[in-house]
């Protein structure tokens, strides 16, 4: 556990000193974490491995620019995936026991994500 702590600390330090323009997380990364959630939010399957993805993503997204880019990725994912039940999508963080301070919805204003 100590090693993991040290690695996380190093990652946090690297993230803290990285230029803002490179800090933003890529949508491909967001999608690969959240892929297991697609069946659930489109009413086609169970929660399955979804929470593992949500928690994994939550664990790597720390900075505000990262959160804003994740927010934008979620918006475009929600907008481009047909049949998403937004009440299920919005309930996902709660289902998985993580706190995401904005709603996953195509109408979310990602520039207001500040914490
Ligand atoms: C969306 O999910 C909610 C909560 O599970 C459910 O009550 C509602 O009927 C679903 N809506 C649609 C359109 O399937």
């Amino acid at each position: 556990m100590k090693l993991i702590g040290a690695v996380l600390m190093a990652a946090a330090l690297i993230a803290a000193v990285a230029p803002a323009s490179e800090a933003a997380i890529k949508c491909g990364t967001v999608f690969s974490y959240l892929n297991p959630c697609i069946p659930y939010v489109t009413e086609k399957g169970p929660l399955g491995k979804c929470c593992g993805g949500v928690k994994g993503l939550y664990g790597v997204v720390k900075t505000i620019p990262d959160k804003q880019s994740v927010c934008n990725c979620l918006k475009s994912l929600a907008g481009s995936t047909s049949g998403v039940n937004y009440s299920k999508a919005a309930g996902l963080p709660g289902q998985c026991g993580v706190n995401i301070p904005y709603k996953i919805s195509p109408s979310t204003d990602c520039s207001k994500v500040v914490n």
Side-chain angles (χ1 to χ4, degrees):
M1 282 326 264
K2 269 191 178 143
L3 178 63
I4 293 171
V7 169
L8 287 177
M9 188 73 80
L13 280 174
I14 290 165
V17 298
S21 60
E22 288 177 23
I25 197 161
K26 292 201 167 50
C27 282
T29 309
V30 175
F31 296 168
S32 61
Y33 276 112
L34 297 185
N35 231 10
C37 298
I38 302 297
Y40 176 74
V41 298
T42 55
E43 311 269 358
K44 293 199 180 75
L47 202 49
K49 294 199 168 71
C50 175
C51 282
V54 170
K55 286 178 179 161
L57 179 64
Y58 190 73
V60 298
V61 175
K62 296 290 181 206
T63 65
I64 288 166
D66 273 356
K67 287 179 185 179
Q68 289 179 338
S69 55
V70 168
C71 175
N72 278 309
C73 293
L74 290 175
K75 273 179 75 167
S76 67
L77 184 64
S80 66
T81 307
S82 57
V84 173
N85 180 332
Y86 295 114
S87 61
K88 280 190 145 180
L92 260 188
Q95 287 270 334
C96 298
V98 300
N99 173 33
I100 294 179
Y102 56 82
K103 290 237 182 327
I104 300 171
S105 136
S107 59
T108 302
D109 182 353
C110 292
S111 68
K112 296 219 169 78
V113 176
V114 292
N115 58 39

